[in-house]
Amino acid sequence: MEEAIIKLLEVSIWSGIAAVGFGILFNIPRKTILVVFFLGFAAGLIKFLLIDFKVNIVLSSLIAASFIGIISSPLAHKVHHPPVVFSIPPIIPMIPGYYAYETMLSIMNFTFMEKGNPERVVLIDAIFFNGFTMLFILISITIGVSLPLLLSRKETVKKNIGK
Amino acid sequence: MNVKDKLKQTADLLLDISSLLMVSGANTNRINLSLTRFASALNCQAYSMVTHMSLVLTVTDIETEETFTRVKKIPKYQINFSTISAISKASWSALRDDWTLTRIKEEFDVIKTRTRYPKYIVLIAVSFAGAGFCNIFEGDYINMLVAFISTLSGLFILQTAHGRKINGHIATFLASFCASFLASIGVFYNLGEHPQAALATSVLFLVPGVALINSFTDFLDNNILNGMVRFANGTMTVLSIALGLFVAMLLFQLN
């Protein structure tokens, strides 16, 4: 149990570090680095905790990304930076790189295998499983992070038109 | 200053601001929002057409209803969230304190001259991010070191290629090939517990996350054309990454 918690914390801390690394690549303002780290940490914690409780990776990515999307709007008003600064870097560590790699590996093997080999069916299975998991994770993180932002944005637009 | 001159200067300033926002990685809605805010602070109305390569803007004076139209080509894309943040803040202050044209211009000049993080800091930070990715995909510390080194050299190649003005997709291919080549060595000699994780994560620093997320928010905002362009761009980048990875894996016969 203790070991699992330490492992979870370790992975979450690395998620936070990855978020900050990408934030620096995107040149985020210096004052927001700490906030981005904690958001990346929180996103990793939520995602891997749910995976530990046997929730599917697609659903757990959606929940973690929605958390980032929902919290970045009030945070933007508090720290005075637009929400994109907080919402994009923390979800980058959720990109399903390993599934993309597995998909590519299977496609490559499939292409170079001679016709009639029964293993081709196994490879088709791998291509579909990994490819669609990757696709659904990508869709769920983009929906999770952008939908709350779009829903909460109406307010500021209205204020602006009234002016 | 007569109305025509004022409109001309306003149009130039608004075009500069929106093209800077575009190259910094703002989505279409944010550009229109900033335009509306600055224009209403200057007693004008702005109507714009934002595309990937150029901007068309018409400003109308609210009192005289005189109009002025201008087109601007968009410069090279380089994501910069600090700029987006600073322009967003400036637009709020302009609206609240009724800034004049010269005041906005001064503020914009300050924003334009802001520097980025130094190259070596970006290199180290992104390499740590690569190592972090490797940990997320269950790599141990040896795999993380491989991912760190591959990301470092891949990003260095990318930065050098951008400095020499090589085509963006070719630069991405070269960076992806270099990073996955180094990580493939780790797989070839079976370093660490999970060497495949290092190979899979070594190219992730190239993933066009901002383009793809912006494309999706543009779709949701009904800016379908811009969304399509961003999506196509992101897909091209992904294909370049995949090609680099593919060539490296083929060289090492990693089946």
Side-chain angles (χ1 to χ4, degrees), chain A residues 43 47 57-70 87-97 133-149, chain B residues 133 137 207-210 212-214 216-217 220:
Chain A
K47 185 185 153 190
I57 184 165
V58 177
L59 192 63
S60 40
S61 299
L62 178 67
I63 293 170
S66 313
F67 167 76
I68 298 295
I70 291 167
S87 61
I88 293 183
I91 62 150
I92 298 272
M94 281 189 245
I95 285 176
T133 311
M134 173 190 79
L135 194 67
F136 285 137
I137 294 175
L138 277 179
I139 294 173
S140 63
I141 57 179
T142 40
I143 289 180
V145 81
S146 51
L147 216 52
L149 283 181
Chain B
F133 264 127
F137 294 118
V207 168
V210 176
L212 292 178
I213 290 167
N214 275 344
F216 195 77
T217 48
L220 288 177

Side-chain angles (χ1 to χ4, degrees), chain B residues 64-79:
Chain B
T64 61
E65 293 212 336
E66 229 175 300
T67 62
F68 189 87
T69 303
R70 196 156 254 212
V71 187
K72 185 176 167 40
K73 217 181 140 214
I74 290 178
K76 198 164 171 275
Y77 279 73
Q78 195 176 29
I79 294 164

Side-chain angles (χ1 to χ4, degrees), chain B residues 7-17 68 70 72:
Chain B
L7 280 182
K8 186 169 172 255
Q9 285 187 21
T10 312
D12 279 342
L13 181 66
L14 290 183
L15 276 175
D16 281 344
I17 290 173
F68 189 87
R70 196 156 254 212
K72 185 176 167 40

Side-chain angles (χ1 to χ4, degrees), chain B residues 212-226:
Chain B
L212 292 178
I213 290 167
N214 275 344
S215 124
F216 195 77
T217 48
D218 273 0
F219 281 143
L220 288 177
D221 277 329
N222 264 346
N223 291 313
I224 304 289
L225 268 183
N226 271 346

